[in-house]
Amino acid sequence: MRITVFLVLFFFISCKQEKKQNLPNSKSGSTVEETIITNLKSFPNADLKNLFDNSTYVDYIFHYLPFSVSQNNKSSIVSNLKMISPDKPKQWNNTCKSIGREFFHIGGDIVYEADVYFSEHCQGYIFMKNEKPIFASGMTEAGIAFYGNLLTHAAKIKNQVNEK
């Protein structure tokens, strides 16, 4: 099982500098307060369906990890989109900080951006427009497993680099 997860992550993880240059900058470790989350609607089902049907690329830029993730394979994109819950985040507090930003592309256009939150008390996505929160969605069990594995492997990579 671990080998499968590692291989899947290996194929997803790449550092594509040319793609990074085309992405807008995200605020490193931005914080969204609980009161803001309460006032936001969850990501609309029609928009999520549009992403399922038409997304051509998904990029992640992480604030504190030594790599980015880019996906252009349709099955990988669909798996990624299945991490977004149709419901709002179940847990949230005002100390939540994003671990990165995810960019959803259709054709050559970024149609949605979302700050990704993954910690003990914050697991979800805050969709942004013009650097302002517009939707809040929780994370499915598949998302929790994905980010847990991703951060575990990132920590191992960091430890290996530090040991050299």
Side-chain angles (χ1 to χ4, degrees):
M1 176 69 176
R2 283 188 170 183
I3 292 172
T4 303
V5 170
F6 179 75
L7 289 174
V8 168
L9 285 174
F10 177 76
F11 288 112
F12 289 150
I13 298 171
S14 65
C15 294
K16 295 185 178 183
Q17 295 299 322
E18 69 278 359
K19 291 290 181 188
K20 284 185 183 180
Q21 292 171 359
N22 294 330
L23 297 175
N25 292 329
S26 64
K27 292 182 180 178
S28 182
S30 60
T31 303
V32 176
E33 293 183 22
E34 185 174 8
T35 54
I36 294 172
I37 298 298
T38 306
N39 296 327
L40 295 174
K41 294 180 180 179
S42 62
F43 193 68
N45 287 333
D47 292 2
L48 189 56
K49 182 180 180 338
N50 182 40
L51 289 177
F52 269 99
D53 294 343
N54 300 305
S55 289
T56 54
Y57 215 88
V58 175
D59 283 312
Y60 287 91
I61 295 179
F62 296 102
H63 302 306
Y64 308 108
L65 300 179
F67 52 81
S68 63
V69 175
S70 297
Q71 300 171 318
N72 64 354
N73 175 286
K74 189 65 174 179
S75 64
S76 298
I77 293 169
V78 167
S79 293
N80 183 290
L81 292 168
K82 287 181 179 179
M83 294 186 237
I84 301 169
S85 171
D87 302 316
K88 289 172 67 167
K90 292 179 181 148
Q91 293 183 359
W92 208 269
N93 67 45
N94 62 2
T95 61
C96 298
K97 290 193 179 236
S98 69
I99 62 168
R101 181 151 305 179
E102 186 170 5
F103 301 88
F104 301 91
H105 301 253
I106 294 178
D109 298 322
I110 297 172
V111 294
Y112 281 105
E113 299 178 23
D115 282 338
V116 179
Y117 292 81
F118 187 77
S119 65
E120 182 180 352
H121 298 291
C122 304
Q123 297 168 343
Y125 304 85
I126 305 299
F127 289 85
M128 308 293 283
K129 185 172 188 172
N130 298 323
E131 294 302 318
K132 293 184 180 10
I134 57 172
F135 302 116
S137 288
M139 191 173 287
T140 65
E141 291 299 320
I144 292 167
F146 173 80
Y147 289 106
N149 287 331
L150 184 75
L151 295 177
T152 298
H153 287 294
K156 287 179 185 177
I157 291 169
K158 185 175 180 180
N159 288 338
Q160 290 172 351
V161 169
N162 289 337
E163 290 175 359
K164 290 184 180 181

